[in-house]
C-alpha cells in the first residue's frame, strides 16, 4: 500500500509528488514520471512522531520526503526517532496519561509553592552568611538615609529608655544579639517600623508620636523582632525570586504576555507576606505575655495606625492584594491573645 | 513593482492545523517530564513544542520544519538559567554585582539578539531548505543599542525610527536558500501608530492622575461609611483601568509594527501580507489571560493554538511567479545560547509567522 508523499531534492524548493513503499528492508520511492529510487531503511532518518504533524524522511543524498503520519511508517522504522521522544509520544497518545500529567503538574506546582519553596527558603536563609545579611541591609539603609531619614527629634532620654526597654524585652530571645534599635524621623514614610535582614530595627518619630504609651511602641517592636527571629527578610527575598522563576517556567512562552504570569505571582507573594505578618504578630503576642505585658497595647496601636487610613482601602479587593492582613483581623487576634491570659 | 517576476501573482496563505486537544497532551506531558527530570527534559519539550507549531503550519502544500538539536538547546538553557539566577540573587543580596551583570547584559544584548536570530533561522526549514540570518554581531549595535539610546534620550520621540532600523536589520539579514529578504520601510508609515499611541497614553496618564488625586482627596474627608468603601473600589478600578489601557496600547503598537514589518518586506519578487487586527489581538490576548488565570494554567495550550491559528489566517505570501526556484546555500553552525538567553530574559523578537 504506497503512501502519497512529497519529495524535495534538498537543493531547491521544487516539490515533486512521490509514492512511498517498503519491501525487503528497502524504502522505495516512485515518482509520477515512473522514475523509481530505493534506499536501505537504516540509511533513512525519520523525525520523531508528534501528534498528527507530517513526518520528514531524510535521505542519504540530502533529499527530504514529507509524508502524512501513518501506521505503516511506524512499522517500517521501528524505534527510529529516538527513545526519549518515543516515550513522550507514547504518553501523549494516552488520554489517561495526559489527564494524570495535568493533575500531577498542578499538584506538584501547588505543593511546591505551598510547602517546598517555603521550606527551601527557610533552609537557605538559615545558612546565609551574616555578611550577606549585613550587606543587603546596608544597601537599604543607604537608600533610605539619602531619601527619607532625618535625625530623630524624640528627646534623648525617651530614646534611651525605649532602647533599654526594647533590649530587656528581647533579651535571651533567639537571634537577639543582632537586634539594634534605631529611631529616625521620616516624614515621607510616616508612622512605621521595619526590620532589616541583619537585625537592625527602625522605628519612626511619627510612630512614637502617635503612640500614647511606650508599651504601644514596644508591642510594635516585638512584632519587628518576630520578623528577625523568623528571618522573614531573607525568606521573603528568596521566595519572591523563585515564584517568578517558577511562573516563568510554567507559563513563560505561553500567554503572549508577562501579565498573565505576574498577576498570580503577585497574589502569591503578597500571600506569603501576609503569612509572615501573622507569624510575626503571633511571636509578638507570645513574647509580650512572657514578659508580663498585655498584647492589648498592640491592638490599641493598630487601631490608632489604621484610623488614618480610609476604611475602604482596608477591605475588599485592596485588602486582598495588600501585603499585610487587614487591621481589624490583627486587632482581634491581639485582643484574643490578651484575653486568653486570664 | 515586480523586478524579476512574471507579473502573475499567486496568493499563498498558510494553514494552521494544530488542535488544542492534541496540544494539551503534548504540553502537559512536556511539563510533567520536565518536572520529573528536574528541568533537563525542558530542552526536548521546547523542540517538541516548536515542531508541533512548525509542522502544523503549511504554506503552498508544504509544512515547516524545526530542526534544532535538544542538546544544543539544553546547553543554551543552562547558561541562560545561570545568568537569570545570578541576576535574581544578586539583585537581592549583592547590588554591585547585579549592577555589573545588568551592564554586561545590556552591552551584550545586540550580540545575543543576533545569535538568537541565527539559531532560529538556521533551524527553520521549508521544503528541505533552511533559512539563514547572516548579519554579524557587531552590526546589531546600531539598531539595538545606538538607536535604543537615541530613543531613550529623546523621550521615545525617535522610537519609530528605532523600530524602522531594527526591522531593516532583522528582515534584511535573513535569507531563504540563497535569496535575501529585502526591507524598504519609511518613517512616514512608522510614525502614525506611534503618535496615536503617544496621544492615547498621555490622555490615559492625565485621566489617571486626576482620578487618583480626586480619590485621595475624597478619602481624607470621608474616613467612614459607604463613601469610604466606594473610594477603595474606585482606587482599584482606576488602577485596573490604567493597567488595561497600557496593556492595550502595547498590543496596538506591536500589532501595527508587525504588520509594517511584513508589508514592507520582500523576498525576490515575492511580497508578504500581514493583516493582524488590533481589536482581534486585544480580544485574543485579554481572553487568553482571563482563561489562563481562571483555569490555573490549564488553558495555556488552547491559548497558544488559537493565537497561532489567528496569525496564520492573517498572513499571506504574494508569490510573483513560481516558488520552486529557491536554491540551497552552504551551511554554518552556531551555538544555541543566544536563543535561550533571549527566551529567558523575555526580549524575543517576534517575527510571528
Amino acid at each position: 500500500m504506497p503512501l502519497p508523499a512529497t519529495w524535495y531534492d534538498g537543493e531547491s524548493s521544487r516539490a515533486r509528488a512521490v509514492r512511498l513503499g517498503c519491501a525487503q528492508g528497502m524504502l522505495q520511492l516512485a515518482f509520477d514520471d515512473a522514475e523509481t529510487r530505493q534506499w536501505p531503511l537504516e540509511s533513512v532518518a525519520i523525525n520523531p512522531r508528534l501528534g498528527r504533524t507530517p513526518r520528514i524522511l531524510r535521505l542519504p543524498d540530502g533529499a527530504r520526503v514529507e509524508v502524512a503520519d501513518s501506521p505503516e511508517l511506524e512499522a517500517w522504522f521501528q524505534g527510529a526517532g529516538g527513545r526519549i521522544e518515543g516515550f513522550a509520544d507514547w504518553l501523549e497518545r494516552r488520554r489517561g496519561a495526559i489527564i494524570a500529567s495535568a493533575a500531577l503538574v498542578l499538584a506538584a506546582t501547588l505543593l511546591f509553592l505551598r510547602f517546598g519553596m517555603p521550606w527551601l527558603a527557610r533552609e537557605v536563609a538559615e545558612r546565609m552568611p551574616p555578611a550577606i545579611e549585613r550587606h543587603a541591609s546596608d544597601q537599604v539603609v543607604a537608600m533610605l538615609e539619602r531619601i527619607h531619614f532625618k535625625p530623630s527629634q524624640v528627646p534623648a532620654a525617651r530614646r534611651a529608655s525605649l532602647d533599654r526597654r526594647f533590649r530587656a524585652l528581647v533579651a535571651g530571645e533567639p537571634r537577639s544579639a543582632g537586634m539594634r534599635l534605631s529611631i529616625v524621623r521620616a516624614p515621607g514614610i510616616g508612622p512605621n517600623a521595619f526590620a532589616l535582614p541583619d537585625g537592625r530595627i527602625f522605628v519612626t518619630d511619627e510612630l512614637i508620636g502617635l503612640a500614647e504609651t511606650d508599651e504601644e511602641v514596644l508591642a510594635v517592636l516585638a512584632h519587628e523582632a518576630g520578623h528577625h527571629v523568623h528571618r522573614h527578610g531573607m525568606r521573603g527575598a528568596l521566595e519572591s525570586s523563585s515564584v517568578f522563576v517558577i511562573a516563568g517556567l510554567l507559563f513563560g512562552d505561553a500567554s503572549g504576555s508577562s501579565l498573565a504570569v505576574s498577576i498570580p505571582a503577585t497574589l502569591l507573594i503578597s500571600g506569603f507576606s501576609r503569612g509572615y505578618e501573622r507569624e510575626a504578630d503571633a511571636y509578638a503576642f507570645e513574647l509580650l505575655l512572657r514578659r508580663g505585658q498585655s498584647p492589648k497595647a498592640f491592638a490599641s496601636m493598630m487601631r490608632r495606625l489604621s484610623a488614618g487610613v480610609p476604611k475602604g482601602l482596608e477591605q475588599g479587593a485592596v485588602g486582598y492584594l495588600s501585603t499585610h492582613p487587614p487591621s481589624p483581623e490583627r486587632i482581634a487576634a491581639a485582643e484574643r491573645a490578651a484575653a486568653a491570659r486570664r | 513593482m515586480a523586478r524579476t517576476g512574471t507579473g502573475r501573482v499567486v496568493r499563498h496563505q498558510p494553514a494552521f492545523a494544530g488542535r488544542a486537544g492534541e496540544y494539551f497532551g503534548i504540553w502537559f506531558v512536556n511539563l510533567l517530564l520536565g518536572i520529573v527530570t528536574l528541568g533537563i527534559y525542558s530542552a526536548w519539550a521546547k523542540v517538541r513544542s516548536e515542531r508541533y507549531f512548525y509542522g502544523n503550519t503549511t504554506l503552498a502544500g508544504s509544512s515547516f520544519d524545526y530542526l534544532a538539536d535538544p542538546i544544543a538547546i539544553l546547553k543554551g538553557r543552562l547558561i541562560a538559567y545561570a545568568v537569570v539566577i545570578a541576576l535574581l540573587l544578586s539583585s537581592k543580596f549583592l547590588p554591585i554585582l547585579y549592577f555589573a551583570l545588568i551592564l554586561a547584559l545590556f552591552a551584550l544584548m545586540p550580540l545575543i539578539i543576533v545569535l538568537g536570530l541565527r539559531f532560529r533561522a538556521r533551524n527553520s526549514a521549508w521544503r528541505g531548505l533552511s533559512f539563514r540570518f547572516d548579519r554579524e554581531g557587531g552590526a546589531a549595535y546600531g539598531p539595538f543599542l545606538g538607536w535604543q539610546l537615541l530613543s531613550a534620550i529623546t523621550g521615545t520621540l525617535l522610537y519609530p525610527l528605532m523600530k524602522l532600523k531594527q526591522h531593516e536589520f532583522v528582515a534584511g539579514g535573513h535569507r531563504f536558500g540563497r535569496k535575501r529578504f529585502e526591507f524598504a520601510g519609511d518613517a512616514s508609515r512608522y510614525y502614525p501608530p506611534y503618535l496615536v499611541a503617544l496621544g492615547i497614553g498621555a490622555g490615559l496618564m492625565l485621566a489617571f492622575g486626576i482620578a487618583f488625586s480626586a480619590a485621595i482627596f475624597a478619602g481624607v474627608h470621608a474616613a467612614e461609611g459607604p463613601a469610604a468603601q466606594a473610594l477603595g473600589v474606585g482606587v482599584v478600578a482606576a488602577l485596573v483601568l490604567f493597567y488595561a489601557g497600557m496593556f492595550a496600547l502595547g498590543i496596538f503598537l506591536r500589532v501595527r509594527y508587525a504588520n509594517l514589518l511584513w508589508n514592507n518586506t520582500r523576498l525576490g519578487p515575492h511580497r508578504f501580507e500581514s493583516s493582524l487586527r488590533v481589536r482581534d489581538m486585544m480580544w485574543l490576548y485579554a481572553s487568553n489571560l482571563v482563561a489562563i488565570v481562571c483555569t490555573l494554567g490549564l488553558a495555556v495550550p488552547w491559548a497558544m493554538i488559537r493565537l497561532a491559528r489567528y496569525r496564520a489566517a492573517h498572513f499571506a505570501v504574494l508569490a510573483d511567479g513560481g516558488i520552486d526556484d529557491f536554491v540551497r546555500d552552504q551551511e554554518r553552525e552556531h551555538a544555541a545560547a543566544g536563543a535561550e538567553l533571549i527566551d529567558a530574559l523575555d526580549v524575543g523578537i517576534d517575527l510571528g509567522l
Side-chain angles (χ1 to χ4, degrees):
Chain A
M1 188 67 179
L3 303 173
T6 314
W7 177 86
Y8 311 104
D9 61 11
E11 296 294 326
S12 79
S13 59
R14 196 160 55 109
R16 285 177 73 186
V18 67
R19 286 173 182 285
L20 293 186
C22 178
Q24 284 121 34
M26 299 293 274
L27 179 75
Q28 298 177 324
L29 283 67
F31 291 86
D32 275 1
D33 58 6
E35 183 195 347
T36 60
R37 292 183 199 179
Q38 53 180 4
W39 304 97
L41 274 175
E42 60 271 16
S43 70
V44 179
I46 185 167
N47 67 350
R49 207 161 167 231
L50 174 64
R52 282 176 216 206
T53 54
R55 309 296 295 273
I56 310 274
L57 311 185
R58 293 162 217 285
L59 304 178
D61 64 349
R64 302 269 193 278
V65 176
E66 179 179 337
V67 54
D69 188 33
S70 99
E72 279 94 331
L73 292 169
E74 284 311 289
W76 300 347
F77 298 94
Q78 274 172 24
R83 292 214 342 239
I84 298 173
E85 297 208 41
F87 176 63
D89 180 67
W90 185 86
L91 283 176
E92 285 159 12
R93 286 175 196 281
R94 269 150 192 82
R95 190 183 293 269
I98 292 168
I99 294 170
S101 301
L104 281 170
V105 167
L106 277 180
T109 310
L110 293 176
L111 283 176
F112 183 73
L113 289 176
R114 180 74 183 79
F115 301 107
M117 201 172 62
W119 176 81
L120 213 60
R122 193 164 52 240
E123 293 293 308
V124 174
E126 275 171 17
R127 282 159 185 75
M128 197 64 81
I132 290 184
E133 289 183 339
R134 202 158 43 243
H135 191 82
S137 309
D138 282 345
Q139 301 293 326
V140 179
V141 172
M143 200 262 288
L144 286 170
E145 270 174 350
R146 250 201 323 277
I147 306 174
H148 288 298
F149 288 172
K150 296 182 171 52
S152 172
Q153 289 174 351
V154 173
R158 183 156 185 221
R159 270 187 283 151
S161 126
L162 273 172
D163 189 51
R164 204 166 45 244
R165 291 192 62 181
F166 171 68
R167 262 185 285 149
L169 179 72
V170 298
E173 288 299 296
R175 279 163 68 74
S176 64
M179 294 186 203
R180 269 173 299 133
L181 180 64
S182 300
I183 298 172
V184 291
R185 191 163 64 87
I189 298 178
N192 213 329
F194 45 88
L196 294 177
D198 68 344
R200 267 176 277 182
I201 292 172
F202 285 86
V203 58
T204 63
D205 279 14
E206 289 76 7
L207 186 129
I208 294 174
L210 198 64
E212 270 175 8
T213 62
D214 280 359
E215 278 67 32
E216 289 184 354
V217 179
L218 284 167
V220 171
L221 293 179
H223 167 92
E224 299 305 330
H227 280 316
H228 184 60
V229 168
H230 291 292
R231 301 172 200 267
H232 288 157
M234 274 297 152
R235 283 163 59 190
L238 292 166
E239 284 181 359
S240 58
S241 309
S242 40
V243 164
F244 278 101
V245 171
I246 288 161
L249 278 181
L250 289 181
F251 306 129
D253 43 5
S255 51
S257 110
S258 52
L259 200 62
V261 175
S262 56
I263 288 177
T266 312
L267 284 175
L268 266 170
I269 290 169
S270 40
F272 285 131
S273 129
R274 283 195 299 275
Y276 288 161
E277 296 304 326
R278 291 199 181 96
E279 201 173 19
D281 279 358
Y283 170 86
F285 303 156
E286 196 264 340
L287 174 66
L288 290 171
L289 288 173
R290 266 194 283 130
R291 296 284 187 263
Q293 293 179 22
S294 171
K296 263 198 153 65
F298 187 83
S300 57
M301 192 68 223
M302 278 311 292
R303 225 176 253 119
R304 215 163 290 131
L305 277 168
S306 65
V309 181
K311 265 241 168 77
L313 289 179
E314 282 272 328
Q315 293 158 359
V318 192
Y320 194 72
L321 286 168
S322 161
T323 54
H324 283 62
S327 302
E329 179 195 313
R330 302 176 70 186
I331 292 167
E335 278 169 349
R336 259 200 317 280
R341 181 167 59 148
R342 280 175 227 125
Chain B
M1 279 303 284
R3 275 158 291 182
T4 55
T6 60
R8 198 172 52 84
V9 174
V10 184
R11 193 166 184 280
H12 294 288
Q13 200 168 347
F16 181 72
R19 276 174 313 193
E22 193 176 59
Y23 189 57
F24 185 86
I26 293 166
W27 171 258
F28 276 103
V29 168
N30 275 347
L31 282 179
L32 180 71
L33 294 181
I35 291 173
V36 168
T37 59
L38 298 177
I40 293 172
Y41 182 78
S42 74
W44 279 262
K46 157 113 179 166
V47 170
R48 278 181 92 72
S49 282
E50 293 283 0
R51 273 183 50 216
Y52 188 79
F53 284 90
Y54 274 64
N56 275 312
T57 308
T58 30
L59 185 69
S62 304
S63 70
F64 286 83
D65 195 9
Y66 184 70
L67 308 166
D69 174 20
I71 300 287
I73 293 196
L74 185 61
K75 284 183 198 153
R77 210 150 253 219
L78 291 176
I79 296 172
Y81 283 148
V83 171
V84 169
I85 288 170
L87 275 176
L88 280 172
L89 289 182
S90 63
S91 76
K92 304 283 183 192
F93 306 126
L94 290 166
I96 293 166
L97 178 64
Y98 177 72
F99 188 68
L101 278 174
I102 287 285
L103 216 62
L105 269 182
F106 188 69
L108 289 176
M109 196 45 83
L111 200 64
I112 296 168
I113 289 172
V114 166
L115 290 177
L117 287 170
R118 271 190 202 163
F119 185 78
R120 176 160 285 275
R122 187 170 50 85
N123 287 307
S124 302
W126 181 72
R127 293 196 163 183
L129 297 186
S130 282
F131 290 80
R132 281 285 179 281
F133 184 81
D134 61 3
R135 291 273 163 93
E136 292 303 322
Y141 279 81
F144 284 100
L145 195 68
W147 276 97
Q148 205 113 31
L149 287 175
L150 279 177
S151 164
I153 295 170
T154 57
T156 76
L157 279 178
L158 294 184
Y159 178 83
L161 287 182
M162 175 196 86
K163 276 307 219 195
L164 184 68
K165 298 286 171 195
Q166 293 180 347
H167 285 178
E168 211 159 45
F169 178 82
V170 171
H174 274 91
R175 284 179 300 142
F176 177 59
R178 247 177 244 167
K179 266 270 193 311
R180 180 171 289 285
F181 285 81
E182 290 165 70
F183 177 85
D186 61 273
S188 68
R189 295 194 189 175
Y190 273 68
Y191 261 97
Y194 165 78
L195 292 175
V196 170
L198 192 69
I200 298 177
L204 208 64
M205 294 284 248
L206 193 69
F208 181 74
I210 292 171
F212 207 78
S213 21
I216 298 293
F217 182 76
V220 174
H221 293 276
E224 282 295 332
Q229 286 276 359
L231 165 68
V233 176
V235 169
V236 173
L239 271 172
V240 167
L241 279 179
F242 179 75
Y243 280 116
M246 286 298 160
F247 183 57
L249 274 187
I251 293 171
F252 169 81
L253 269 185
R254 266 174 69 174
V255 166
R256 284 301 181 79
Y257 280 135
N259 285 344
L260 280 173
L261 167 63
W262 281 111
N263 295 335
N264 288 311
T265 297
R266 45 169 70 230
L267 178 62
H270 314 299
R271 291 185 297 121
F272 302 92
E273 183 189 284
S274 172
S275 53
L276 302 173
R277 295 203 329 181
V278 172
R279 70 184 116 131
D280 292 345
M281 290 294 272
M282 280 184 190
W283 161 246
L284 276 174
Y285 276 133
S287 51
N288 278 356
L289 174 67
V290 170
I292 290 171
V293 170
C294 290
T295 58
L296 295 176
L298 283 172
V300 165
W302 172 79
M304 289 173 79
I305 293 286
R306 70 198 281 252
L307 212 52
R309 187 172 294 143
Y310 180 82
R311 286 215 165 108
H314 289 80
F315 187 83
V317 179
L318 306 175
D320 189 343
I323 48 172
D324 289 350
D325 51 0
F326 292 104
V327 190
R328 187 175 82 102
D329 201 55
Q330 69 279 7
E331 320 243 330
R332 269 190 293 176
E333 291 294 313
H334 292 288
E340 285 310 302
L341 204 52
I342 283 182
D343 276 2
L345 297 170
D346 196 27
V347 293
I349 295 168
D350 198 3
L351 290 172
L353 236 183

